[in-house]
PDB file of all heavy atoms in Angstrom:
ATOM      1  N   LYS A   1      -8.486  11.181 -16.935  1.00  0.00           N
ATOM      2  CA  LYS A   1      -7.924   9.832 -16.956  1.00  0.00           C
ATOM      3  C   LYS A   1      -8.077   9.250 -15.555  1.00  0.00           C
ATOM      4  O   LYS A   1      -7.581   9.791 -14.570  1.00  0.00           O
ATOM      5  CB  LYS A   1      -6.449   9.880 -17.334  1.00  0.00           C
ATOM      6  CG  LYS A   1      -5.709   8.555 -17.223  1.00  0.00           C
ATOM      7  CD  LYS A   1      -6.203   7.539 -18.232  1.00  0.00           C
ATOM      8  CE  LYS A   1      -5.379   6.259 -18.175  1.00  0.00           C
ATOM      9  NZ  LYS A   1      -5.810   5.287 -19.165  1.00  0.00           N
ATOM     10  N   VAL A   2      -8.790   8.148 -15.432  1.00  0.00           N
ATOM     11  CA  VAL A   2      -8.992   7.506 -14.137  1.00  0.00           C
ATOM     12  C   VAL A   2      -7.881   6.473 -13.918  1.00  0.00           C
ATOM     13  O   VAL A   2      -7.697   5.569 -14.743  1.00  0.00           O
ATOM     14  CB  VAL A   2     -10.357   6.846 -14.028  1.00  0.00           C
ATOM     15  CG1 VAL A   2     -10.504   6.145 -12.675  1.00  0.00           C
ATOM     16  CG2 VAL A   2     -11.450   7.896 -14.189  1.00  0.00           C
ATOM     17  N   ILE A   3      -7.136   6.653 -12.870  1.00  0.00           N
ATOM     18  CA  ILE A   3      -6.031   5.755 -12.538  1.00  0.00           C
ATOM     19  C   ILE A   3      -6.310   5.123 -11.187  1.00  0.00           C
ATOM     20  O   ILE A   3      -6.554   5.822 -10.198  1.00  0.00           O
ATOM     21  CB  ILE A   3      -4.679   6.516 -12.502  1.00  0.00           C
ATOM     22  CG1 ILE A   3      -4.345   7.041 -13.912  1.00  0.00           C
ATOM     23  CG2 ILE A   3      -3.547   5.618 -11.996  1.00  0.00           C
ATOM     24  CD1 ILE A   3      -3.051   7.817 -13.988  1.00  0.00           C
ATOM     25  N   VAL A   4      -6.285   3.807 -11.150  1.00  0.00           N
ATOM     26  CA  VAL A   4      -6.540   3.062  -9.903  1.00  0.00           C
ATOM     27  C   VAL A   4      -5.238   2.420  -9.457  1.00  0.00           C
ATOM     28  O   VAL A   4      -4.578   1.738 -10.246  1.00  0.00           O
ATOM     29  CB  VAL A   4      -7.618   1.979 -10.142  1.00  0.00           C
ATOM     30  CG1 VAL A   4      -7.884   1.215  -8.828  1.00  0.00           C
ATOM     31  CG2 VAL A   4      -8.892   2.584 -10.675  1.00  0.00           C
ATOM     32  N   VAL A   5      -4.874   2.669  -8.227  1.00  0.00           N
ATOM     33  CA  VAL A   5      -3.591   2.230  -7.702  1.00  0.00           C
ATOM     34  C   VAL A   5      -3.779   1.391  -6.454  1.00  0.00           C
ATOM     35  O   VAL A   5      -4.487   1.802  -5.538  1.00  0.00           O
ATOM     36  CB  VAL A   5      -2.684   3.444  -7.339  1.00  0.00           C
ATOM     37  CG1 VAL A   5      -1.311   2.973  -6.935  1.00  0.00           C
ATOM     38  CG2 VAL A   5      -2.619   4.410  -8.505  1.00  0.00           C
ATOM     39  N   PHE A   6      -3.169   0.219  -6.427  1.00  0.00           N
ATOM     40  CA  PHE A   6      -3.136  -0.655  -5.255  1.00  0.00           C
ATOM     41  C   PHE A   6      -1.729  -0.772  -4.716  1.00  0.00           C
ATOM     42  O   PHE A   6      -0.767  -0.491  -5.420  1.00  0.00           O
ATOM     43  CB  PHE A   6      -3.632  -2.072  -5.611  1.00  0.00           C
ATOM     44  CG  PHE A   6      -5.090  -2.157  -5.974  1.00  0.00           C
ATOM     45  CD1 PHE A   6      -5.480  -2.275  -7.296  1.00  0.00           C
ATOM     46  CD2 PHE A   6      -6.060  -2.163  -5.005  1.00  0.00           C
ATOM     47  CE1 PHE A   6      -6.816  -2.370  -7.645  1.00  0.00           C
ATOM     48  CE2 PHE A   6      -7.403  -2.267  -5.339  1.00  0.00           C
ATOM     49  CZ  PHE A   6      -7.778  -2.375  -6.653  1.00  0.00           C
ATOM     50  N   GLU A   7      -1.620  -1.191  -3.487  1.00  0.00           N
ATOM     51  CA  GLU A   7      -0.332  -1.680  -2.977  1.00  0.00           C
ATOM     52  C   GLU A   7      -0.062  -3.023  -3.635  1.00  0.00           C
ATOM     53  O   GLU A   7      -0.978  -3.789  -3.933  1.00  0.00           O
ATOM     54  CB  GLU A   7      -0.415  -1.925  -1.465  1.00  0.00           C
ATOM     55  CG  GLU A   7      -0.410  -0.729  -0.613  1.00  0.00           C
ATOM     56  CD  GLU A   7      -0.518  -1.105   0.866  1.00  0.00           C
ATOM     57  OE1 GLU A   7      -1.599  -1.552   1.271  1.00  0.00           O
ATOM     58  OE2 GLU A   7       0.470  -0.977   1.582  1.00  0.00           O
ATOM     59  N   SER A   8       1.207  -3.350  -3.821  1.00  0.00           N
ATOM     60  CA  SER A   8       1.537  -4.691  -4.304  1.00  0.00           C
ATOM     61  C   SER A   8       1.468  -5.679  -3.159  1.00  0.00           C
ATOM     62  O   SER A   8       1.540  -5.309  -1.976  1.00  0.00           O
ATOM     63  CB  SER A   8       2.936  -4.709  -4.932  1.00  0.00           C
ATOM     64  OG  SER A   8       3.921  -4.528  -3.940  1.00  0.00           O
ATOM     65  N   LEU A   9       1.324  -6.938  -3.522  1.00  0.00           N
ATOM     66  CA  LEU A   9       1.326  -8.002  -2.520  1.00  0.00           C
ATOM     67  C   LEU A   9       2.735  -8.513  -2.309  1.00  0.00           C
ATOM     68  O   LEU A   9       3.491  -8.738  -3.260  1.00  0.00           O
ATOM     69  CB  LEU A   9       0.414  -9.157  -2.975  1.00  0.00           C
ATOM     70  CG  LEU A   9      -1.073  -8.870  -3.055  1.00  0.00           C
ATOM     71  CD1 LEU A   9      -1.810 -10.111  -3.500  1.00  0.00           C
ATOM     72  CD2 LEU A   9      -1.618  -8.371  -1.739  1.00  0.00           C
ATOM     73  N   THR A  10       3.102  -8.671  -1.053  1.00  0.00           N
ATOM     74  CA  THR A  10       4.391  -9.275  -0.701  1.00  0.00           C
ATOM     75  C   THR A  10       4.118 -10.376   0.295  1.00  0.00           C
ATOM     76  O   THR A  10       2.995 -10.587   0.731  1.00  0.00           O
ATOM     77  CB  THR A  10       5.331  -8.227  -0.066  1.00  0.00           C
ATOM     78  OG1 THR A  10       4.816  -7.855   1.215  1.00  0.00           O
ATOM     79  CG2 THR A  10       5.445  -6.990  -0.960  1.00  0.00           C
ATOM     80  N   GLY A  11       5.182 -11.067   0.695  1.00  0.00           N
ATOM     81  CA  GLY A  11       5.009 -12.096   1.704  1.00  0.00           C
ATOM     82  C   GLY A  11       4.445 -11.551   3.000  1.00  0.00           C
ATOM     83  O   GLY A  11       3.734 -12.242   3.723  1.00  0.00           O
ATOM     84  N   GLU A  12       4.748 -10.274   3.290  1.00  0.00           N
ATOM     85  CA  GLU A  12       4.288  -9.663   4.545  1.00  0.00           C
ATOM     86  C   GLU A  12       2.873  -9.112   4.425  1.00  0.00           C
ATOM     87  O   GLU A  12       2.162  -9.008   5.413  1.00  0.00           O
ATOM     88  CB  GLU A  12       5.233  -8.538   4.961  1.00  0.00           C
ATOM     89  CG  GLU A  12       6.613  -8.995   5.371  1.00  0.00           C
ATOM     90  CD  GLU A  12       7.468  -7.816   5.828  1.00  0.00           C
ATOM     91  OE1 GLU A  12       7.131  -6.664   5.470  1.00  0.00           O
ATOM     92  OE2 GLU A  12       8.469  -8.058   6.525  1.00  0.00           O
ATOM     93  N   THR A  13       2.459  -8.741   3.218  1.00  0.00           N
ATOM     94  CA  THR A  13       1.173  -8.054   3.078  1.00  0.00           C
ATOM     95  C   THR A  13       0.087  -8.885   2.415  1.00  0.00           C
ATOM     96  O   THR A  13      -0.993  -8.395   2.157  1.00  0.00           O
ATOM     97  CB  THR A  13       1.347  -6.758   2.271  1.00  0.00           C
ATOM     98  OG1 THR A  13       1.800  -7.089   0.943  1.00  0.00           O
ATOM     99  CG2 THR A  13       2.342  -5.814   2.938  1.00  0.00           C
ATOM    100  N   VAL A  14       0.361 -10.156   2.139  1.00  0.00           N
ATOM    101  CA  VAL A  14      -0.613 -10.974   1.416  1.00  0.00           C
ATOM    102  C   VAL A  14      -1.902 -11.107   2.195  1.00  0.00           C
ATOM    103  O   VAL A  14      -2.978 -11.305   1.618  1.00  0.00           O
ATOM    104  CB  VAL A  14      -0.007 -12.349   1.066  1.00  0.00           C
ATOM    105  CG1 VAL A  14       0.185 -13.197   2.332  1.00  0.00           C
ATOM    106  CG2 VAL A  14      -0.889 -13.072   0.055  1.00  0.00           C
ATOM    107  N   ILE A  15      -1.897 -10.973   3.529  1.00  0.00           N
ATOM    108  CA  ILE A  15      -3.112 -11.053   4.307  1.00  0.00           C
ATOM    109  C   ILE A  15      -3.587  -9.667   4.717  1.00  0.00           C
ATOM    110  O   ILE A  15      -4.459  -9.530   5.561  1.00  0.00           O
ATOM    111  CB  ILE A  15      -2.931 -11.941   5.572  1.00  0.00           C
ATOM    112  CG1 ILE A  15      -1.846 -11.367   6.471  1.00  0.00           C
ATOM    113  CG2 ILE A  15      -2.652 -13.360   5.181  1.00  0.00           C
ATOM    114  CD1 ILE A  15      -1.744 -12.088   7.822  1.00  0.00           C
ATOM    115  N   GLY A  16      -3.057  -8.629   4.067  1.00  0.00           N
ATOM    116  CA  GLY A  16      -3.500  -7.291   4.337  1.00  0.00           C
ATOM    117  C   GLY A  16      -2.422  -6.464   4.990  1.00  0.00           C
ATOM    118  O   GLY A  16      -1.887  -6.842   6.036  1.00  0.00           O
ATOM    119  N   SER A  17      -2.095  -5.326   4.376  1.00  0.00           N
ATOM    120  CA  SER A  17      -0.972  -4.541   4.869  1.00  0.00           C
ATOM    121  C   SER A  17      -1.293  -3.828   6.193  1.00  0.00           C
ATOM    122  O   SER A  17      -0.397  -3.287   6.819  1.00  0.00           O
ATOM    123  CB  SER A  17      -0.543  -3.506   3.827  1.00  0.00           C
ATOM    124  OG  SER A  17      -1.544  -2.506   3.671  1.00  0.00           O
ATOM    125  N   GLY A  18      -2.546  -3.827   6.590  1.00  0.00           N
ATOM    126  CA  GLY A  18      -2.902  -3.226   7.869  1.00  0.00           C
ATOM    127  C   GLY A  18      -2.220  -3.873   9.036  1.00  0.00           C
ATOM    128  O   GLY A  18      -2.068  -3.252  10.099  1.00  0.00           O
ATOM    129  N   LEU A  19      -1.810  -5.116   8.869  1.00  0.00           N
ATOM    130  CA  LEU A  19      -1.133  -5.837   9.952  1.00  0.00           C
ATOM    131  C   LEU A  19       0.348  -5.542  10.007  1.00  0.00           C
ATOM    132  O   LEU A  19       0.995  -5.781  11.036  1.00  0.00           O
ATOM    133  CB  LEU A  19      -1.345  -7.340   9.781  1.00  0.00           C
ATOM    134  CG  LEU A  19      -2.782  -7.834   9.899  1.00  0.00           C
ATOM    135  CD1 LEU A  19      -2.857  -9.310   9.532  1.00  0.00           C
ATOM    136  CD2 LEU A  19      -3.313  -7.610  11.313  1.00  0.00           C
ATOM    137  N   THR A  20       0.924  -5.063   8.932  1.00  0.00           N
ATOM    138  CA  THR A  20       2.402  -4.893   8.880  1.00  0.00           C
ATOM    139  C   THR A  20       2.865  -3.483   8.581  1.00  0.00           C
ATOM    140  O   THR A  20       4.060  -3.203   8.723  1.00  0.00           O
ATOM    141  CB  THR A  20       2.987  -5.846   7.804  1.00  0.00           C
ATOM    142  OG1 THR A  20       2.399  -5.498   6.536  1.00  0.00           O
ATOM    143  CG2 THR A  20       2.706  -7.290   8.132  1.00  0.00           C
ATOM    144  N   ARG A  21       1.975  -2.591   8.154  1.00  0.00           N
ATOM    145  CA  ARG A  21       2.353  -1.241   7.802  1.00  0.00           C
ATOM    146  C   ARG A  21       1.477  -0.223   8.529  1.00  0.00           C
ATOM    147  O   ARG A  21       0.287  -0.449   8.707  1.00  0.00           O
ATOM    148  CB  ARG A  21       2.239  -1.019   6.285  1.00  0.00           C
ATOM    149  CG  ARG A  21       3.243  -1.764   5.466  1.00  0.00           C
ATOM    150  CD  ARG A  21       2.946  -1.655   3.974  1.00  0.00           C
ATOM    151  NE  ARG A  21       3.981  -2.308   3.158  1.00  0.00           N
ATOM    152  CZ  ARG A  21       3.845  -2.613   1.887  1.00  0.00           C
ATOM    153  NH1 ARG A  21       2.701  -2.334   1.261  1.00  0.00           N
ATOM    154  NH2 ARG A  21       4.823  -3.198   1.211  1.00  0.00           N
ATOM    155  N   SER A  22       2.061   0.903   8.881  1.00  0.00           N
ATOM    156  CA  SER A  22       1.289   1.992   9.456  1.00  0.00           C
ATOM    157  C   SER A  22       0.522   2.684   8.314  1.00  0.00           C
ATOM    158  O   SER A  22       0.821   2.499   7.133  1.00  0.00           O
ATOM    159  CB  SER A  22       2.217   3.003  10.125  1.00  0.00           C
ATOM    160  OG  SER A  22       3.008   3.686   9.154  1.00  0.00           O
ATOM    161  N   ARG A  23      -0.457   3.490   8.692  1.00  0.00           N
ATOM    162  CA  ARG A  23      -1.213   4.182   7.641  1.00  0.00           C
ATOM    163  C   ARG A  23      -0.336   5.173   6.884  1.00  0.00           C
ATOM    164  O   ARG A  23      -0.524   5.393   5.683  1.00  0.00           O
ATOM    165  CB  ARG A  23      -2.442   4.886   8.233  1.00  0.00           C
ATOM    166  CG  ARG A  23      -2.137   6.066   9.134  1.00  0.00           C
ATOM    167  CD  ARG A  23      -3.400   6.613   9.810  1.00  0.00           C
ATOM    168  NE  ARG A  23      -3.104   7.874  10.483  1.00  0.00           N
ATOM    169  CZ  ARG A  23      -3.220   9.068   9.895  1.00  0.00           C
ATOM    170  NH1 ARG A  23      -3.650   9.140   8.663  1.00  0.00           N
ATOM    171  NH2 ARG A  23      -2.910  10.176  10.555  1.00  0.00           N
ATOM    172  N   GLU A  24       0.664   5.761   7.562  1.00  0.00           N
ATOM    173  CA  GLU A  24       1.609   6.653   6.892  1.00  0.00           C
ATOM    174  C   GLU A  24       2.403   5.906   5.853  1.00  0.00           C
ATOM    175  O   GLU A  24       2.655   6.430   4.743  1.00  0.00           O
ATOM    176  CB  GLU A  24       2.520   7.330   7.903  1.00  0.00           C
ATOM    177  CG  GLU A  24       1.829   8.318   8.828  1.00  0.00           C
ATOM    178  CD  GLU A  24       1.121   7.664  10.017  1.00  0.00           C
ATOM    179  OE1 GLU A  24       1.272   6.440  10.192  1.00  0.00           O
ATOM    180  OE2 GLU A  24       0.419   8.364  10.737  1.00  0.00           O
ATOM    181  N   GLU A  25       2.855   4.695   6.188  1.00  0.00           N
ATOM    182  CA  GLU A  25       3.593   3.884   5.208  1.00  0.00           C
ATOM    183  C   GLU A  25       2.713   3.508   4.043  1.00  0.00           C
ATOM    184  O   GLU A  25       3.162   3.530   2.887  1.00  0.00           O
ATOM    185  CB  GLU A  25       4.132   2.632   5.908  1.00  0.00           C
ATOM    186  CG  GLU A  25       5.257   2.890   6.890  1.00  0.00           C
ATOM    187  CD  GLU A  25       5.644   1.654   7.706  1.00  0.00           C
ATOM    188  OE1 GLU A  25       4.725   0.865   8.069  1.00  0.00           O
ATOM    189  OE2 GLU A  25       6.832   1.486   7.971  1.00  0.00           O
ATOM    190  N   GLN A  26       1.469   3.136   4.306  1.00  0.00           N
ATOM    191  CA  GLN A  26       0.555   2.776   3.238  1.00  0.00           C
ATOM    192  C   GLN A  26       0.330   3.945   2.280  1.00  0.00           C
ATOM    193  O   GLN A  26       0.386   3.774   1.049  1.00  0.00           O
ATOM    194  CB  GLN A  26      -0.796   2.314   3.820  1.00  0.00           C
ATOM    195  CG  GLN A  26      -0.726   1.000   4.552  1.00  0.00           C
ATOM    196  CD  GLN A  26      -2.017   0.733   5.313  1.00  0.00           C
ATOM    197  OE1 GLN A  26      -2.671   1.655   5.819  1.00  0.00           O
ATOM    198  NE2 GLN A  26      -2.400  -0.528   5.397  1.00  0.00           N
ATOM    199  N   LEU A  27       0.112   5.138   2.837  1.00  0.00           N
ATOM    200  CA  LEU A  27      -0.136   6.301   2.014  1.00  0.00           C
ATOM    201  C   LEU A  27       1.107   6.667   1.208  1.00  0.00           C
ATOM    202  O   LEU A  27       1.006   7.042   0.024  1.00  0.00           O
ATOM    203  CB  LEU A  27      -0.560   7.473   2.884  1.00  0.00           C
ATOM    204  CG  LEU A  27      -1.003   8.755   2.168  1.00  0.00           C
ATOM    205  CD1 LEU A  27      -2.160   8.463   1.218  1.00  0.00           C
ATOM    206  CD2 LEU A  27      -1.408   9.819   3.165  1.00  0.00           C
ATOM    207  N   ASP A  28       2.282   6.537   1.801  1.00  0.00           N
ATOM    208  CA  ASP A  28       3.531   6.823   1.096  1.00  0.00           C
ATOM    209  C   ASP A  28       3.686   5.879  -0.106  1.00  0.00           C
ATOM    210  O   ASP A  28       4.013   6.313  -1.202  1.00  0.00           O
ATOM    211  CB  ASP A  28       4.714   6.685   2.054  1.00  0.00           C
ATOM    212  CG  ASP A  28       6.046   6.907   1.349  1.00  0.00           C
ATOM    213  OD1 ASP A  28       6.238   7.987   0.761  1.00  0.00           O
ATOM    214  OD2 ASP A  28       6.898   6.004   1.382  1.00  0.00           O
ATOM    215  N   ILE A  29       3.435   4.598   0.118  1.00  0.00           N
ATOM    216  CA  ILE A  29       3.585   3.625  -0.957  1.00  0.00           C
ATOM    217  C   ILE A  29       2.550   3.861  -2.050  1.00  0.00           C
ATOM    218  O   ILE A  29       2.877   3.836  -3.242  1.00  0.00           O
ATOM    219  CB  ILE A  29       3.463   2.198  -0.398  1.00  0.00           C
ATOM    220  CG1 ILE A  29       4.702   1.850   0.439  1.00  0.00           C
ATOM    221  CG2 ILE A  29       3.284   1.162  -1.523  1.00  0.00           C
ATOM    222  CD1 ILE A  29       4.576   0.606   1.267  1.00  0.00           C
ATOM    223  N   LEU A  30       1.294   4.091  -1.669  1.00  0.00           N
ATOM    224  CA  LEU A  30       0.252   4.323  -2.660  1.00  0.00           C
ATOM    225  C   LEU A  30       0.554   5.554  -3.511  1.00  0.00           C
ATOM    226  O   LEU A  30       0.394   5.514  -4.741  1.00  0.00           O
ATOM    227  CB  LEU A  30      -1.089   4.506  -1.960  1.00  0.00           C
ATOM    228  CG  LEU A  30      -1.811   3.260  -1.485  1.00  0.00           C
ATOM    229  CD1 LEU A  30      -3.045   3.650  -0.680  1.00  0.00           C
ATOM    230  CD2 LEU A  30      -2.228   2.380  -2.661  1.00  0.00           C
ATOM    231  N   THR A  31       1.001   6.636  -2.884  1.00  0.00           N
ATOM    232  CA  THR A  31       1.245   7.843  -3.667  1.00  0.00           C
ATOM    233  C   THR A  31       2.476   7.704  -4.562  1.00  0.00           C
ATOM    234  O   THR A  31       2.510   8.235  -5.666  1.00  0.00           O
ATOM    235  CB  THR A  31       1.377   9.070  -2.751  1.00  0.00           C
ATOM    236  OG1 THR A  31       2.411   8.859  -1.781  1.00  0.00           O
ATOM    237  CG2 THR A  31       0.057   9.361  -2.034  1.00  0.00           C
ATOM    238  N   ARG A  32       3.478   6.941  -4.116  1.00  0.00           N
ATOM    239  CA  ARG A  32       4.624   6.662  -4.995  1.00  0.00           C
ATOM    240  C   ARG A  32       4.180   5.817  -6.185  1.00  0.00           C
ATOM    241  O   ARG A  32       4.611   6.076  -7.328  1.00  0.00           O
ATOM    242  CB  ARG A  32       5.733   5.958  -4.206  1.00  0.00           C
ATOM    243  CG  ARG A  32       6.571   6.911  -3.347  1.00  0.00           C
ATOM    244  CD  ARG A  32       7.808   6.238  -2.820  1.00  0.00           C
ATOM    245  NE  ARG A  32       7.596   5.521  -1.573  1.00  0.00           N
ATOM    246  CZ  ARG A  32       7.835   4.240  -1.370  1.00  0.00           C
ATOM    247  NH1 ARG A  32       8.291   3.480  -2.358  1.00  0.00           N
ATOM    248  NH2 ARG A  32       7.664   3.691  -0.188  1.00  0.00           N
ATOM    249  N   ASN A  33       3.351   4.825  -5.943  1.00  0.00           N
ATOM    250  CA  ASN A  33       2.827   4.014  -7.045  1.00  0.00           C
ATOM    251  C   ASN A  33       2.007   4.872  -7.991  1.00  0.00           C
ATOM    252  O   ASN A  33       2.053   4.711  -9.225  1.00  0.00           O
ATOM    253  CB  ASN A  33       1.963   2.882  -6.488  1.00  0.00           C
ATOM    254  CG  ASN A  33       2.768   1.781  -5.827  1.00  0.00           C
ATOM    255  OD1 ASN A  33       4.002   1.728  -5.958  1.00  0.00           O
ATOM    256  ND2 ASN A  33       2.122   0.889  -5.117  1.00  0.00           N
TER     257      ASN A  33
END
């Protein structure tokens, strides 16, 4: 089963979460999703 997971868009991440989140935070959110 192929599952594709993105971060959700928020007011802070609409232009890319690289500006507002560390890579550790991004990975934590992606794996929880």
Side-chain angles (χ1 to χ4, degrees):
K1 173 68 175 181
V2 178
I3 296 179
V4 181
V5 186
F6 292 103
E7 286 179 288
S8 69
L9 293 181
T10 68
E12 292 182 341
T13 63
V14 70
I15 60 172
S17 68
L19 296 173
T20 59
R21 290 172 177 165
S22 69
R23 69 186 189 91
E24 291 82 8
E25 289 172 323
Q26 291 170 327
L27 186 57
D28 178 58
I29 289 168
L30 281 173
T31 56
R32 281 192 273 123
N33 287 348

